[in-house]
Amino acid sequence: MTEVQILIIRIEELELANRKATLQMKNMRKELREKNKKIEELTSLVTFLQKSKVNGENDEKPTVAQESVALRGLDIIKRNQLLEQTVRTNAERALLCSFFEAAEPKPTETIVAIIDAAFTNAIDVLLMRPDLFDDFVDNELRLFLLDIRNAKRILLDVMLSHPEYVPRAWGGDTLAKRQREEKELLEKCHTPKASSPEKRKLTLKQYPN
């Protein structure tokens, strides 16, 4: 083998190595973008949860139309138990129960990541795997779900307003009971008390015939 042939082979090896390095860099940049996007989504979800109805301070209310679409999505998600599919360990379920059952819940990054993964899976199934369930996903619901970041926030917000959609394994029954009791207490506090007969008599005496 001549020196020229050896040089050509070496050049080809270097070009191949360069192409591999370029491809690796491209993949690494893609992974970094995806990680940054996920971090941004989780940060947004953490912020939302901290201001959510669970803590009673959420100002970013979904519109009536958004809530209507979200409820249709949650109906399908609940019937097919899509949120439960990614929460497989007892430890994860215990964390979610501690969050949803707490009177003053504090969302941690772990809890947010579990909830985020559950909603991501549910949305992926609704959009990409209609063969896995019998429900119909209409175009309006599809368009809503395509904006996955906003969809997850609204779905979670509506779910917190309607705790019957929180899976039982996540503490949904306890959350529903607490919200029902709080509502009854609030209604009781705002219900005007009927005047006693004695008080009414005293009142009438102030206005003689």
Side-chain angles (χ1 to χ4, degrees), residues 118-162:
F119 272 107
T120 298
N121 173 73
I123 292 173
D124 285 345
V125 172
L126 290 178
L127 290 175
M128 308 301 295
R129 297 301 306 274
D131 56 302
L132 296 179
F133 53 88
D134 297 328
D135 296 279
F136 176 68
V137 180
D138 58 75
N139 289 333
E140 186 180 22
L141 179 54
R142 284 183 177 277
L143 288 173
F144 168 76
L145 295 173
L146 284 173
D147 185 359
I148 186 169
R149 178 178 173 182
N150 195 47
K152 283 190 286 189
R153 181 182 61 78
I154 294 173
L155 285 169
L156 179 58
D157 187 26
V158 175
M159 187 174 77
L160 293 173
S161 300
H162 301 269

Side-chain angles (χ1 to χ4, degrees), residues 39-57:
I39 290 172
E40 186 179 347
E41 289 180 357
L42 289 175
T43 301
S44 175
L45 195 55
V46 168
T47 302
F48 170 75
L49 278 172
Q50 289 172 339
K51 296 166 58 180
S52 69
K53 287 182 181 178
V54 177
N55 290 322
E57 298 178 359

Side-chain angles (χ1 to χ4, degrees), residues 53 62-72 144 154 158 161-162:
K53 287 182 181 178
T63 65
V64 174
Q66 288 173 331
E67 183 174 5
S68 176
V69 177
L71 285 171
R72 293 208 304 275
F144 168 76
I154 294 173
V158 175
S161 300
H162 301 269

Side-chain angles (χ1 to χ4, degrees), residues 32 41 68 99 125 182 187:
L32 183 60
E41 289 180 357
S68 176
F99 174 73
V125 172
E182 290 174 353
E187 290 175 349

Side-chain angles (χ1 to χ4, degrees), residues 177-194:
K177 181 181 178 182
R178 186 174 69 250
Q179 288 194 7
R180 185 168 58 251
E181 290 174 348
E182 290 174 353
K183 182 179 179 181
E184 291 173 354
L185 181 61
L186 188 63
E187 290 175 349
K188 185 177 180 180
C189 291
H190 285 80
T191 301
K193 295 181 180 179

Side-chain angles (χ1 to χ4, degrees), residues 160-177:
L160 293 173
S161 300
H162 301 269
E164 65 271 19
Y165 291 109
V166 178
R168 286 186 173 182
W170 294 14
D173 287 347
T174 301
L175 176 61
K177 181 181 178 182

